[in-house]
Amino acid sequence: MLEAILLVGGQGTRLRPLTISTPKPMLPVAGYACTEHQIARAKEAGVERIVLGTSYRAEVFEEYFGHGEKFGIEIIYAVESEPLGTGGAIRNAASHLISSGEDPVIVFNGDVLTGLDISALVQKWRTADADVALYLTRVEDPRAYGLVPTDADGRVIEFREKPTTPEELVTDQINAGCYIFKRSVIDQIPSDRPVSVERETFPELLSSNAKVIGVVDDGYWLDLGTPLAFAKGSADLVRGIAPSPLLKGRTGEALIEPTAKVDSSALITGGTYIGHHAIVGANAIITGSVIFADVEVGTDTQIKNSIVSTGANISSGCEIVDTVIAERAQIGAGVKLEPGTLVFPDESR
Ligand code: GDD
Ligand code: MG
């Protein structure tokens, strides 16, 4: 039976104020929690059991996913009372796995949107008889990620998490946040303290000569860690640029929930998502944005590449670009917000 661990315990600090009450992996991208897209993709790849490694606001996941009945996959929860870091979370979640010894265990970061062929990665891990296979992608600016140079045979040479000096920028290949572990390798991670898989486990495996391979995949990849990335990820899903089994046959310039009321003169485009019971007034223009449930957008208001959270109210004639508006915030008529503005819950502008 193919099993996976999904790491969803991070605080999502860079997505505040959206993550004040909702953990990052539960924020809706294109109408579904990011985690839900990942579970659907794992299921498509033949995964039958998933352990969610939770810490920050653990209860929210269980309320939503239950034991996975609705999703056709068994879901189990490994809750950390104190965050154990990525490696500690993997070790903690592994105690709920059935797999043993040489079996593969798939591990995903919970905040990544990808078109990775998971089965192909497992196959490469198997063929190489690797201890760990890392999914890698190439990015223009690798500084915010784990740098993973490989040799001509695909063996990982080094793992360098978030380099701080220019000399360290030895490659544009980064850790894309999905790994195949041999089950027995996970059991070697210390269980009694926080461990970073990136800063501790991978470097140690490499120095002990374990077989760690890197598989570069140039398909769709996006880390949803920042508000702008989050809006882009949602728009890419809506437009079908990022793949998700949950949106098959429903992709296009906009995804509007049937309970939303959008005036026929409003222009909703660029992969915008409009949530349940939202109201959009006449001549509004909304591009590349995520509009959560119960939001009201007034007439003639323009919103671009922004996130408007549940129950927020934006009056008429506003200009909102590259902005995050938290739940229940109120924006008065004619307000123009500077790009990059964060409006907190219950705040008025
Ligand atoms: N259960 C649990 N407990 N999960 C955690 C913890 C923890 O203590 N800390 C982080 N996580 C989860 C996060 O929720 C996220 O899904 C994943 O682990 C990675 O943590 P992030 O905080 O998002 O890390 P990052 O984005 O800075 O860097 C990671 O992802 C990059 C790719 O997106 C690293 O793995 C980098 O090497 C990688 O390049
Ligand atoms: Mg991240």
Side-chain angles (χ1 to χ4, degrees):
M1 179 186 282
L2 196 50
E3 293 185 297
I5 296 171
L6 196 50
L7 300 176
V8 291
Q11 289 241 13
T13 324
R14 288 171 297 169
L15 277 175
R16 276 176 61 88
L18 296 174
T19 46
I20 293 174
S21 57
T22 309
K24 169 170 67 172
M26 288 304 291
L27 290 173
V29 267
Y32 297 90
C34 178
T35 305
E36 203 169 344
H37 292 288
Q38 289 180 315
I39 290 174
R41 296 205 72 242
K43 188 178 176 227
E44 212 177 44
V47 173
E48 291 173 89
R49 283 182 97 234
I50 293 196
V51 182
L52 291 193
T54 65
S55 159
Y56 179 65
R57 297 204 164 264
E59 68 292 346
V60 178
F61 294 92
E62 198 157 351
E63 277 162 24
Y64 190 80
F65 292 109
H67 299 294
E69 303 86 349
K70 270 189 285 178
F71 306 92
I73 194 165
E74 190 182 348
I75 299 177
I76 299 116
Y77 301 88
V79 183
E80 300 149 41
S81 42
E82 292 295 321
L84 289 172
T86 45
I90 295 170
R91 177 72 167 88
N92 186 55
S95 61
H96 298 268
L97 296 173
I98 301 170
S99 318
S100 61
E102 304 280 293
D103 294 337
V105 176
I106 305 169
V107 178
F108 298 95
N109 283 355
D111 59 344
V112 163
L113 212 55
T114 141
L116 171 71
D117 183 341
I118 301 166
S119 313
L121 184 64
V122 177
Q123 200 47 48
K124 290 201 169 120
W125 168 87
R126 216 183 283 282
T127 311
D129 192 24
D131 291 302
V132 183
L134 307 181
Y135 160 37
L136 310 179
T137 189
R138 293 193 184 91
V139 292
E140 226 158 83
D141 182 0
R143 284 176 298 178
Y145 305 104
L147 265 60
V148 189
T150 47
D151 69 14
D153 301 321
R155 285 278 291 251
V156 171
I157 302 167
E158 202 191 343
F159 196 108
R160 205 178 273 252
E161 182 67 11
K162 304 200 176 74
T164 49
T165 61
E167 299 78 58
E168 289 180 281
L169 300 174
V170 291
T171 179
D172 62 353
Q173 286 178 189
I174 60 142
N175 168 24
C178 177
Y179 325 118
I180 314 298
F181 270 87
K182 200 176 267 181
R183 168 62 210 259
S184 56
V185 174
I186 297 181
D187 293 335
Q188 291 161 23
I189 301 172
S191 60
D192 48 354
R193 60 175 174 84
V195 178
S196 159
V197 78
E198 298 89 350
R199 294 182 193 274
E200 190 175 336
T201 311
F202 292 141
E204 277 178 16
L205 283 169
L206 292 169
S207 57
S208 66
N209 241 348
K211 189 161 191 191
V212 182
I213 62 162
V215 178
V216 182
D217 183 305
D218 288 322
Y220 187 89
W221 183 85
L222 188 67
D223 178 309
L224 299 177
T226 63
L228 284 186
F230 183 85
K232 181 176 189 313
S234 181
D236 285 349
L237 279 164
V238 169
R239 300 169 91 187
I241 296 167
S244 170
L246 302 175
L247 298 172
K248 267 197 188 124
R250 292 200 286 147
T251 53
E253 278 303 287
L255 181 61
I256 301 172
E257 296 292 359
T259 53
K261 285 202 182 77
V262 177
D263 190 275
S264 59
S265 63
L267 179 62
I268 314 294
T269 181
T272 293
Y273 168 78
I274 310 250
H276 285 287
H277 306 289
I279 298 171
V280 179
N283 301 316
I285 302 177
I286 310 183
T287 313
S289 295
V290 190
I291 310 296
F292 286 28
D294 303 318
V295 166
E296 274 186 48
V297 177
T299 53
D300 300 303
T301 278
Q302 299 191 18
I303 303 177
K304 192 176 174 196
N305 301 344
S306 294
I307 303 164
V308 185
S309 198
T310 314
N313 191 312
I314 302 176
S315 306
S316 300
C318 295
E319 274 176 38
I320 315 277
V321 181
D322 294 354
T323 288
V324 177
I325 296 174
E327 46 194 33
R328 300 179 311 273
Q330 309 276 329
I331 310 293
V335 169
K336 294 183 177 40
L337 293 175
E338 287 285 308
T341 304
L342 304 177
V343 182
F344 277 74
D346 293 320
E347 199 186 323
S348 300
R349 295 282 181 114

